[in-house]
Amino acid sequence: MAGNFWQSSHYLQWVLDKQDLMKERQKDLKFLTEEEYWKLQIFFANVIQALGEHLKLRQQVIATATVYFKRFYARYSLKSIDPVLMAPTCVFLASKVEEFGVVSNTRLISAATSVCTSCVFSFSTNECEFYLLELMDCCLIVYHPYRPLLQYVQDMGQEDMLLPLAWRIVNDTYRTDLCLLYPPFMIALACLHVACVVQQKDARQWFAELSVDMDKILEIIRVILKLYDQWKNFDDRKEIAAVLNKMPKPKPPPNSESDQSSNGNQSNSYSQS
């Protein structure tokens, strides 16, 4: 049953090898520790979540935007395009792809300014969107753990007991690299397993009957538990400013020094170095 949720061939190119992911990330880890990079992941996932809620988007649109963001920075350094600009661009594109309707630039900038009060936004999504589309190779449909999770919980016959908690855990996984490293059905199973433990539901027999690699499910569970352990000690309001200051910044394009000073040093310049 589980394999039915991972049939699209284009998805294969976005299940990455962890060593390859970390190799790409070394450019940024020259400036940031792994813990600081992790704090940035949480911060920008929270920004995208807050943007989506401000714009009254469905959770699936928000999740798709978060995956776009993660896929971009899995391939490029943080200094290629400022994440402060890429985050709302991902929301903009996801709202179109998920057929929620186009969010206007004006609404987007208004929402972004409300969510990230310390940032100055004066941009068009067009340029960021172009680079994002180029990277994604126009493979814009994102498969999430939500649908397989719903089917698993219904199969288990414990929808009321387990679904709300497991759903929230799936939401939280977007603050990790899991959506880059594992197919959605495995993430769904891991979140369900954690929910079963928390709710003291003995589902060992149900899991034993699945034809899945339980070692990989346990790998995912360890990442989820580590997230919660670290997250409870992270006060982003106190800590994130220092991390953002250390984050590698895009180089300003030629002859744009005056633009830089007037736009709060935000830049949507692009480089692959």
Side-chain angles (χ1 to χ4, degrees), residues 7 16 23 26-27 30 32 41 48 69-70 89 103 106 128 136 139 142 156 177 198-199 211 230 232 243 247 263 270:
Q7 292 176 341
L16 309 178
K23 184 178 177 182
Q26 289 309 307
K27 297 169 191 172
K30 292 176 184 175
L32 302 162
Q41 284 201 89
I48 291 170
F69 184 90
K70 288 182 172 294
T89 301
V103 177
T106 305
C128 282
M136 303 283 286
C139 295
V142 176
M156 194 182 279
D177 290 326
V198 171
Q199 300 283 37
S211 56
Q230 292 178 311
K232 67 185 179 186
V243 181
M247 184 178 75
N263 287 339
Y270 176 80

mmCIF file of all heavy atoms in Angstrom, residues 7 16 23 26-27 30 32 41 48 69-70 89 103 106 128 136 139 142 156 177 198-199 211 230 232 243 247 263 270:
data_model
loop_
_atom_site.group_PDB
_atom_site.id
_atom_site.type_symbol
_atom_site.label_atom_id
_atom_site.label_comp_id
_atom_site.label_asym_id
_atom_site.label_seq_id
_atom_site.Cartn_x
_atom_site.Cartn_y
_atom_site.Cartn_z
ATOM 1 N N GLN A 7 4.781 7.340 -6.803
ATOM 2 C CA GLN A 7 4.842 6.788 -8.138
ATOM 3 C C GLN A 7 5.331 7.790 -9.178
ATOM 4 O O GLN A 7 5.673 7.405 -10.284
ATOM 5 C CB GLN A 7 3.451 6.283 -8.553
ATOM 6 C CG GLN A 7 3.014 5.080 -7.732
ATOM 7 C CD GLN A 7 1.601 4.649 -8.072
ATOM 8 O OE1 GLN A 7 0.836 5.411 -8.643
ATOM 9 N NE2 GLN A 7 1.263 3.435 -7.727
ATOM 10 N N LEU A 16 16.828 13.569 -1.997
ATOM 11 C CA LEU A 16 18.260 13.790 -2.089
ATOM 12 C C LEU A 16 19.023 12.886 -1.136
ATOM 13 O O LEU A 16 18.481 12.394 -0.149
ATOM 14 C CB LEU A 16 18.574 15.259 -1.774
ATOM 15 C CG LEU A 16 17.768 16.309 -2.550
ATOM 16 C CD1 LEU A 16 18.164 17.708 -2.094
ATOM 17 C CD2 LEU A 16 17.970 16.153 -4.049
ATOM 18 N N LYS A 23 27.046 18.466 1.417
ATOM 19 C CA LYS A 23 28.133 18.977 0.583
ATOM 20 C C LYS A 23 27.764 20.332 -0.005
ATOM 21 O O LYS A 23 28.562 21.278 -0.004
ATOM 22 C CB LYS A 23 28.440 17.973 -0.527
ATOM 23 C CG LYS A 23 29.630 18.350 -1.396
ATOM 24 C CD LYS A 23 29.889 17.278 -2.446
ATOM 25 C CE LYS A 23 31.031 17.679 -3.369
ATOM 26 N NZ LYS A 23 31.258 16.657 -4.442
ATOM 27 N N GLN A 26 27.930 23.253 2.524
ATOM 28 C CA GLN A 26 29.215 23.671 3.090
ATOM 29 C C GLN A 26 29.525 25.137 2.784
ATOM 30 O O GLN A 26 30.198 25.807 3.563
ATOM 31 C CB GLN A 26 30.343 22.768 2.569
ATOM 32 C CG GLN A 26 30.321 21.349 3.126
ATOM 33 C CD GLN A 26 30.224 21.296 4.642
ATOM 34 O OE1 GLN A 26 31.017 21.920 5.347
ATOM 35 N NE2 GLN A 26 29.230 20.575 5.130
ATOM 36 N N LYS A 27 29.033 25.631 1.653
ATOM 37 C CA LYS A 27 29.259 27.045 1.315
ATOM 38 C C LYS A 27 28.715 27.957 2.407
ATOM 39 O O LYS A 27 29.313 28.982 2.749
ATOM 40 C CB LYS A 27 28.577 27.384 -0.010
ATOM 41 C CG LYS A 27 29.113 26.613 -1.207
ATOM 42 C CD LYS A 27 28.196 26.823 -2.409
ATOM 43 C CE LYS A 27 28.539 25.874 -3.550
ATOM 44 N NZ LYS A 27 27.544 25.932 -4.638
ATOM 45 N N LYS A 30 30.466 27.770 6.090
ATOM 46 C CA LYS A 30 31.675 28.557 6.324
ATOM 47 C C LYS A 30 31.355 29.784 7.173
ATOM 48 O O LYS A 30 32.231 30.348 7.824
ATOM 49 C CB LYS A 30 32.277 29.020 4.988
ATOM 50 C CG LYS A 30 32.851 27.898 4.133
ATOM 51 C CD LYS A 30 33.317 28.455 2.796
ATOM 52 C CE LYS A 30 33.805 27.336 1.880
ATOM 53 N NZ LYS A 30 34.163 27.854 0.523
ATOM 54 N N LEU A 32 28.183 29.930 9.050
ATOM 55 C CA LEU A 32 27.229 29.554 10.100
ATOM 56 C C LEU A 32 27.579 28.176 10.660
ATOM 57 O O LEU A 32 28.090 27.320 9.938
ATOM 58 C CB LEU A 32 25.810 29.489 9.520
ATOM 59 C CG LEU A 32 25.252 30.750 8.875
ATOM 60 C CD1 LEU A 32 24.071 30.394 7.976
ATOM 61 C CD2 LEU A 32 24.818 31.752 9.944
ATOM 62 N N GLN A 41 16.511 27.610 9.328
ATOM 63 C CA GLN A 41 15.468 26.766 8.737
ATOM 64 C C GLN A 41 14.146 26.946 9.477
ATOM 65 O O GLN A 41 13.090 27.097 8.854
ATOM 66 C CB GLN A 41 15.871 25.284 8.815
ATOM 67 C CG GLN A 41 16.897 24.841 7.818
ATOM 68 C CD GLN A 41 16.848 23.330 7.630
ATOM 69 O OE1 GLN A 41 16.118 22.814 6.806
ATOM 70 N NE2 GLN A 41 17.624 22.614 8.412
ATOM 71 N N ILE A 48 7.198 31.629 6.429
ATOM 72 C CA ILE A 48 6.293 31.157 5.378
ATOM 73 C C ILE A 48 4.947 30.757 5.979
ATOM 74 O O ILE A 48 3.888 31.073 5.413
ATOM 75 C CB ILE A 48 6.937 29.979 4.604
ATOM 76 C CG1 ILE A 48 8.118 30.502 3.775
ATOM 77 C CG2 ILE A 48 5.920 29.279 3.712
ATOM 78 C CD1 ILE A 48 8.973 29.424 3.150
ATOM 79 N N PHE A 69 11.021 26.452 -1.070
ATOM 80 C CA PHE A 69 12.098 27.189 -0.403
ATOM 81 C C PHE A 69 13.262 26.256 -0.086
ATOM 82 O O PHE A 69 14.431 26.571 -0.367
ATOM 83 C CB PHE A 69 11.540 27.827 0.880
ATOM 84 C CG PHE A 69 12.508 28.702 1.623
ATOM 85 C CD1 PHE A 69 12.597 30.059 1.340
ATOM 86 C CD2 PHE A 69 13.313 28.177 2.622
ATOM 87 C CE1 PHE A 69 13.486 30.872 2.026
ATOM 88 C CE2 PHE A 69 14.211 28.983 3.314
ATOM 89 C CZ PHE A 69 14.289 30.335 3.018
ATOM 90 N N LYS A 70 12.948 25.111 0.463
ATOM 91 C CA LYS A 70 13.996 24.158 0.852
ATOM 92 C C LYS A 70 14.710 23.581 -0.371
ATOM 93 O O LYS A 70 15.928 23.372 -0.350
ATOM 94 C CB LYS A 70 13.398 23.046 1.713
ATOM 95 C CG LYS A 70 13.031 23.509 3.112
ATOM 96 C CD LYS A 70 12.487 22.384 3.949
ATOM 97 C CE LYS A 70 12.328 22.830 5.392
ATOM 98 N NZ LYS A 70 13.624 23.129 6.042
ATOM 99 N N THR A 89 8.264 34.803 -2.314
ATOM 100 C CA THR A 89 8.162 34.334 -3.699
ATOM 101 C C THR A 89 7.642 32.899 -3.743
ATOM 102 O O THR A 89 6.819 32.553 -4.598
ATOM 103 C CB THR A 89 9.532 34.418 -4.407
ATOM 104 O OG1 THR A 89 9.987 35.767 -4.375
ATOM 105 C CG2 THR A 89 9.429 33.959 -5.854
ATOM 106 N N VAL A 103 -1.931 35.596 -5.624
ATOM 107 C CA VAL A 103 -1.823 36.627 -4.597
ATOM 108 C C VAL A 103 -1.119 37.823 -5.227
ATOM 109 O O VAL A 103 -0.041 37.689 -5.791
ATOM 110 C CB VAL A 103 -1.014 36.114 -3.387
ATOM 111 C CG1 VAL A 103 -0.833 37.220 -2.359
ATOM 112 C CG2 VAL A 103 -1.692 34.894 -2.763
ATOM 113 N N THR A 106 0.969 43.489 -4.168
ATOM 114 C CA THR A 106 0.633 44.440 -3.095
ATOM 115 C C THR A 106 0.248 43.702 -1.818
ATOM 116 O O THR A 106 0.739 44.026 -0.721
ATOM 117 C CB THR A 106 -0.537 45.354 -3.533
ATOM 118 O OG1 THR A 106 -0.192 45.988 -4.771
ATOM 119 C CG2 THR A 106 -0.817 46.405 -2.480
ATOM 120 N N CYS A 128 12.818 36.528 -8.721
ATOM 121 C CA CYS A 128 12.966 35.375 -7.837
ATOM 122 C C CYS A 128 12.202 34.176 -8.386
ATOM 123 O O CYS A 128 12.687 33.042 -8.356
ATOM 124 C CB CYS A 128 12.439 35.702 -6.436
ATOM 125 S SG CYS A 128 13.546 36.695 -5.434
ATOM 126 N N MET A 136 13.504 24.347 -10.354
ATOM 127 C CA MET A 136 12.527 23.272 -10.195
ATOM 128 C C MET A 136 12.304 22.510 -11.494
ATOM 129 O O MET A 136 11.637 21.478 -11.506
ATOM 130 C CB MET A 136 11.183 23.847 -9.727
ATOM 131 C CG MET A 136 11.262 24.628 -8.436
ATOM 132 S SD MET A 136 11.366 23.575 -7.007
ATOM 133 C CE MET A 136 9.701 22.988 -6.938
ATOM 134 N N CYS A 139 8.914 21.301 -12.455
ATOM 135 C CA CYS A 139 8.252 20.201 -11.727
ATOM 136 C C CYS A 139 7.673 20.788 -10.446
ATOM 137 O O CYS A 139 8.307 20.752 -9.385
ATOM 138 C CB CYS A 139 9.245 19.087 -11.411
ATOM 139 S SG CYS A 139 9.892 18.259 -12.865
ATOM 140 N N VAL A 142 3.961 19.149 -5.796
ATOM 141 C CA VAL A 142 4.643 18.601 -4.623
ATOM 142 C C VAL A 142 3.709 17.606 -3.928
ATOM 143 O O VAL A 142 2.544 17.911 -3.675
ATOM 144 C CB VAL A 142 5.042 19.723 -3.641
ATOM 145 C CG1 VAL A 142 5.652 19.132 -2.375
ATOM 146 C CG2 VAL A 142 6.014 20.690 -4.304
ATOM 147 N N MET A 156 -6.190 2.233 9.974
ATOM 148 C CA MET A 156 -5.961 1.816 11.359
ATOM 149 C C MET A 156 -7.245 1.892 12.181
ATOM 150 O O MET A 156 -7.381 1.242 13.220
ATOM 151 C CB MET A 156 -4.873 2.706 11.981
ATOM 152 C CG MET A 156 -4.296 2.195 13.275
ATOM 153 S SD MET A 156 -3.064 3.358 13.958
ATOM 154 C CE MET A 156 -1.630 2.929 12.990
ATOM 155 N N ASP A 177 14.974 18.876 7.365
ATOM 156 C CA ASP A 177 15.314 18.490 5.989
ATOM 157 C C ASP A 177 14.539 17.265 5.514
ATOM 158 O O ASP A 177 14.786 16.776 4.407
ATOM 159 C CB ASP A 177 16.813 18.155 5.891
ATOM 160 C CG ASP A 177 17.696 19.379 6.030
ATOM 161 O OD1 ASP A 177 17.283 20.462 5.574
ATOM 162 O OD2 ASP A 177 18.800 19.239 6.596
ATOM 163 N N VAL A 198 2.689 8.817 21.694
ATOM 164 C CA VAL A 198 2.201 9.891 22.565
ATOM 165 C C VAL A 198 0.814 9.559 23.116
ATOM 166 O O VAL A 198 0.523 9.776 24.299
ATOM 167 C CB VAL A 198 2.164 11.235 21.803
ATOM 168 C CG1 VAL A 198 1.453 12.311 22.624
ATOM 169 C CG2 VAL A 198 3.582 11.681 21.455
ATOM 170 N N GLN A 199 -0.046 8.989 22.260
ATOM 171 C CA GLN A 199 -1.420 8.673 22.664
ATOM 172 C C GLN A 199 -1.540 7.280 23.292
ATOM 173 O O GLN A 199 -2.643 6.831 23.597
ATOM 174 C CB GLN A 199 -2.360 8.749 21.446
ATOM 175 C CG GLN A 199 -2.402 10.114 20.773
ATOM 176 C CD GLN A 199 -3.231 11.123 21.541
ATOM 177 O OE1 GLN A 199 -3.222 11.138 22.759
ATOM 178 N NE2 GLN A 199 -3.960 11.970 20.829
ATOM 179 N N SER A 211 4.794 -3.319 4.361
ATOM 180 C CA SER A 211 5.992 -3.697 3.606
ATOM 181 C C SER A 211 6.851 -2.460 3.372
ATOM 182 O O SER A 211 7.007 -1.972 2.243
ATOM 183 C CB SER A 211 5.595 -4.333 2.268
ATOM 184 O OG SER A 211 4.776 -3.456 1.533
ATOM 185 N N GLN A 230 15.422 20.305 20.404
ATOM 186 C CA GLN A 230 16.122 21.567 20.161
ATOM 187 C C GLN A 230 15.170 22.757 20.158
ATOM 188 O O GLN A 230 15.508 23.846 20.637
ATOM 189 C CB GLN A 230 16.859 21.499 18.816
ATOM 190 C CG GLN A 230 18.025 20.525 18.798
ATOM 191 C CD GLN A 230 18.683 20.448 17.437
ATOM 192 O OE1 GLN A 230 18.013 20.292 16.433
ATOM 193 N NE2 GLN A 230 19.997 20.561 17.399
ATOM 194 N N LYS A 232 12.459 23.389 21.773
ATOM 195 C CA LYS A 232 11.948 23.896 23.055
ATOM 196 C C LYS A 232 12.925 24.874 23.709
ATOM 197 O O LYS A 232 12.537 25.668 24.573
ATOM 198 C CB LYS A 232 11.640 22.732 24.004
ATOM 199 C CG LYS A 232 12.854 21.956 24.471
ATOM 200 C CD LYS A 232 12.449 20.740 25.307
ATOM 201 C CE LYS A 232 13.672 19.944 25.750
ATOM 202 N NZ LYS A 232 13.280 18.693 26.439
ATOM 203 N N VAL A 243 21.850 35.554 14.220
ATOM 204 C CA VAL A 243 22.064 34.546 13.173
ATOM 205 C C VAL A 243 21.878 35.174 11.796
ATOM 206 O O VAL A 243 22.658 34.929 10.870
ATOM 207 C CB VAL A 243 21.113 33.343 13.358
ATOM 208 C CG1 VAL A 243 21.355 32.294 12.270
ATOM 209 C CG2 VAL A 243 21.305 32.709 14.737
ATOM 210 N N MET A 247 24.458 35.443 8.480
ATOM 211 C CA MET A 247 24.070 34.749 7.247
ATOM 212 C C MET A 247 24.763 35.381 6.047
ATOM 213 O O MET A 247 24.797 36.604 5.920
ATOM 214 C CB MET A 247 22.545 34.833 7.083
ATOM 215 C CG MET A 247 21.979 34.071 5.903
ATOM 216 S SD MET A 247 20.168 34.214 5.864
ATOM 217 C CE MET A 247 19.984 35.906 5.261
ATOM 218 N N ASN A 263 16.780 50.429 0.102
ATOM 219 C CA ASN A 263 15.914 49.259 0.256
ATOM 220 C C ASN A 263 16.302 48.388 1.427
ATOM 221 O O ASN A 263 16.107 47.184 1.426
ATOM 222 C CB ASN A 263 15.940 48.408 -1.020
ATOM 223 C CG ASN A 263 15.175 49.059 -2.142
ATOM 224 O OD1 ASN A 263 14.326 49.907 -1.881
ATOM 225 N ND2 ASN A 263 15.475 48.685 -3.378
ATOM 226 N N TYR A 270 21.702 37.429 -7.801
ATOM 227 C CA TYR A 270 21.757 35.976 -7.919
ATOM 228 C C TYR A 270 23.139 35.553 -8.364
ATOM 229 O O TYR A 270 23.690 36.115 -9.297
ATOM 230 C CB TYR A 270 20.730 35.511 -8.944
ATOM 231 C CG TYR A 270 20.741 34.054 -9.238
ATOM 232 C CD1 TYR A 270 20.124 33.159 -8.377
ATOM 233 C CD2 TYR A 270 21.364 33.557 -10.377
ATOM 234 C CE1 TYR A 270 20.110 31.811 -8.653
ATOM 235 C CE2 TYR A 270 21.359 32.210 -10.656
ATOM 236 C CZ TYR A 270 20.732 31.340 -9.792
ATOM 237 O OH TYR A 270 20.725 30.013 -10.084
#
